[in-house]
Amino acid sequence: MLYHDLRGTVPDFMQYHSNKYGSLFVMEPEKIGVCDPEDCLVVLGSHSFLKDQKYANVDFVEPNMFLTRDPELNKQRRRQVGPALSLTSLKRMEPAILDAGPKQLCRKWDRDIECSAKGQARVLYHDDFTLMTFDVISSLGFGQAHRSLTTGDKKIVHWVNRTFTLLFLQAVVPIVKTSVFRRVFARSLYAEVNEFIALGNRAIDNRKRLLAELGDRKRKPNDMLQSFIDAEDPESKVRMTSEQVAAETIISMLAGSDTSSNTLSWTVHLLLMHPQYLSKVTAEVRGQFAADHLVTFSEAKAKLPFLEACVYESMRLIPVSTNLPRCMPRGGVVLQGHFIPESYTCSVSISAANNSRRVWKDPEVYRPERFANDEADKRMVLTFSAGVRVCPGKHLALMEIMTTLANLFNRYDFELPEDSLFSPGKTGPNGLPILMPYFTTATCVPKFPERDCVAMVSKRAEYK
């Protein structure tokens, strides 16, 4: 499996062997692949299936909610930070989310269009989504406005990417943690990650100084950083230390920016490959809102069901979260009539479960209608995981994704560039549009984003 881990082809491996051998199969000695949605829910629904040792291999940050294998620590962290990531809390932060997110992106695209020769700009949407989502999460988590999308400063985004690289390498190739490897082969990698961690620590120090100056606690900033600092476990009354706040902030930034930007990119790509759905979702948005209206999350949820269906279908077909390694519980477990001993580990395949023929009709087809007014089907999309370790940032991700797409489709017309390698008419043997290639590390990302994540955008008629 190390070969597939390093090549970023684990989802393809899991899907191929699930189709060949069934949804429960032996991957390697004492390791099984779990691909059936119901089995996935069993594994993800209980803390008795501990996270795999790979998570514990990562040691460059304090134990945190995402990486810890300790169920009790995970429960405590969720009680502490859960309120900060609730819909109620996020609605109070929505002005900052909209300003760093779709409002900033629209300002950039407006400038790009104004500078274009024919009123149509060539945009690298994956790059822009990456910078935008980073600006959103960093503005909330670091306590100060970040505008890398506007300034073009990619230094901190580079640190984020390097931190992702180190997290992945430590998880799957623990030798990178040795002192010789650190000094000889990865000195710059560790140095850049340390700079990113130091940035988080400075943000906390700056916030504490600000609070001391304000004095009046009612005037505290309303963001994720402040919520983490104030977070208290209602059961034990324990608060997080500054180091723990920094760890949770950094992990939230890693998970929050990358997953949202890639989901946005895959949704736009899939809609460009299926123009009938792009036309339908554009008409839905414009039929509900005036050209100059800033669409909020509550408005998008209430008035744009087909947009939401398109997002869920994108997350189903190309889930950015791909495989979740777990250990069998003490005493073993029975899945599909087979006893799996406690010495075994497993890989829960989100991509295979989301494309299960037992649950989904024609799973290889991009068909948003399958989610029309069907909340039960939405719950079967496991992209945000499920059960006791469900993604705590799910609401923030959906808020970013829905508001960004709603405002973009309301304001701009999208076309594929003439030199695009992929188009609705370029189909595979199954008659479906060929999609851009991807690879996976922690998430599923476009393999050649600067080549494949390109669109021509122009302002809708009302703006011209």
Side-chain angles (χ1 to χ4, degrees), residues 46-65:
S46 169
H47 279 296
S48 61
F49 294 85
L50 296 179
K51 283 197 168 186
D52 186 270
Q53 178 61 35
K54 287 181 179 179
Y55 292 91
N57 290 340
V58 180
D59 65 359
F60 63 86
V61 291
E62 284 264 333
N64 55 76
M65 180 168 53

Side-chain angles (χ1 to χ4, degrees), residues 104 106-116 149-150:
Q104 183 190 194
C106 288
R107 288 193 294 269
K108 178 185 182 298
W109 284 11
D110 284 350
R111 290 196 303 273
D112 292 344
I113 292 170
E114 289 169 5
C115 294
S116 66
L149 177 62
T150 298

Side-chain angles (χ1 to χ4, degrees), residues 249-261:
T249 301
I250 287 168
I251 290 297
S252 296
M253 185 170 298
L254 292 176
S257 59
D258 192 66
T259 52
S260 296
S261 62

Side-chain angles (χ1 to χ4, degrees), residues 124-294:
L124 305 178
Y125 57 82
H126 181 269
D127 286 0
D128 287 348
F129 289 153
T130 298
L131 294 174
M132 182 202 76
T133 55
F134 168 79
D135 286 343
V136 170
I137 195 70
S138 59
S139 295
L140 300 179
F142 281 172
Q144 54 185 325
H146 281 261
R147 295 295 182 267
S148 57
L149 177 62
T150 298
T151 65
D153 183 359
K154 299 182 180 181
K155 178 178 67 174
I156 302 177
V157 176
H158 174 72
W159 291 348
V160 170
N161 291 334
R162 298 289 275 174
T163 305
F164 251 124
T165 299
L166 181 59
L167 186 153
F168 173 74
L169 289 175
Q170 284 196 345
V172 302
V173 192
I175 193 175
V176 303
K177 299 193 296 182
T178 63
S179 57
V180 172
F181 193 95
R182 287 176 185 243
R183 291 197 307 269
V184 178
F185 300 105
R187 179 177 295 179
S188 65
L189 175 62
Y190 275 92
E192 288 170 325
V193 171
N194 287 336
E195 287 187 87
F196 181 47
I197 294 173
L199 180 67
N201 290 329
R202 288 197 299 273
I204 295 169
D205 291 340
N206 291 338
R207 175 55 55 84
K208 289 186 173 180
R209 283 195 293 271
L210 175 63
L211 293 175
E213 293 171 2
L214 291 176
D216 182 359
R217 303 293 289 180
K218 293 181 180 180
R219 297 171 58 196
K220 290 185 296 184
N222 186 19
D223 55 27
M224 195 167 70
L225 175 60
Q226 189 61 50
S227 296
F228 282 8
I229 291 173
D230 292 341
E232 181 180 271
D233 177 8
E235 294 185 7
S236 65
K237 306 303 180 184
V238 170
R239 290 191 172 192
M240 291 187 286
T241 66
S242 294
E243 293 75 18
Q244 291 167 344
V245 170
E248 297 298 341
T249 301
I250 287 168
I251 290 297
S252 296
M253 185 170 298
L254 292 176
S257 59
D258 192 66
T259 52
S260 296
S261 62
N262 284 305
T263 299
L264 284 164
S265 296
W266 281 111
T267 303
V268 169
H269 176 69
L270 287 163
L271 288 171
L272 287 168
M273 294 300 104
H274 299 82
Q276 72 276 27
Y277 294 134
L278 178 59
S279 296
K280 185 174 179 178
V281 76
T282 301
E284 178 186 64
V285 177
R286 296 180 185 182
Q288 293 290 339
F289 302 105
D292 59 351
H293 183 78
L294 179 67

Side-chain angles (χ1 to χ4, degrees), residues 365-381:
V365 177
Y366 184 75
R367 186 181 295 148
E369 296 96 335
R370 69 176 89 236
F371 291 103
N373 302 313
D374 197 328
E375 294 300 320
D377 278 351
K378 291 175 185 176
R379 289 193 290 272
M380 290 304 296
V381 176

